Amino acid sequence: MTVIKFSKAWREESKPEIKFRTIDDSGRYMYRFLAEYEFDRRTFSISFWAYDMEDAARRISHMRGSLNLQGQIFCEV
């Protein structure tokens, strides 16, 4: 995974890098973002999809108040 650091590479907050996108069921572009949190004096991260920087910030705000564990994800290797 490559993380584009906002302080270095973010040219316009409203226009994420177009190379790193997907399309939702309605045909709208979505971009993958990274959020960090601290736990037991260590830093961890989660990735999530959002439509733009403003949407990503809104989603983080909602995660703060309503995030809950749903279960483990199994990935075939």
Side-chain angles (χ1 to χ4, degrees):
M1 175 188 322
T2 300
V3 177
I4 301 166
K5 294 287 186 180
F6 295 141
S7 61
K8 294 181 182 178
W10 203 260
R11 290 185 291 278
E12 290 183 44
E13 288 184 2
S14 62
K15 295 188 179 183
E17 287 288 332
I18 62 171
K19 292 186 286 186
F20 307 103
R21 67 183 180 193
T22 192
I23 300 175
D24 72 4
D25 293 338
S26 300
R28 292 177 60 194
Y29 289 120
M30 294 189 83
Y31 304 88
R32 197 164 186 189
F33 290 87
L34 184 74
E36 292 183 339
Y37 63 96
E38 292 185 16
F39 179 73
D40 287 343
R41 292 181 280 172
R42 294 176 63 196
T43 302
F44 296 89
S45 62
I46 60 168
S47 65
F48 64 98
W49 294 93
Y51 294 108
D52 54 32
M53 182 69 165
E54 182 179 315
D55 184 42
R58 261 190 21 249
R59 288 172 187 262
I60 289 292
S61 177
H62 285 273
M63 285 182 211
R64 284 187 183 112
S66 65
L67 191 65
N68 61 69
L69 181 62
Q70 295 297 308
Q72 180 180 357
I73 298 174
F74 293 95
C75 299
E76 293 185 34
V77 180

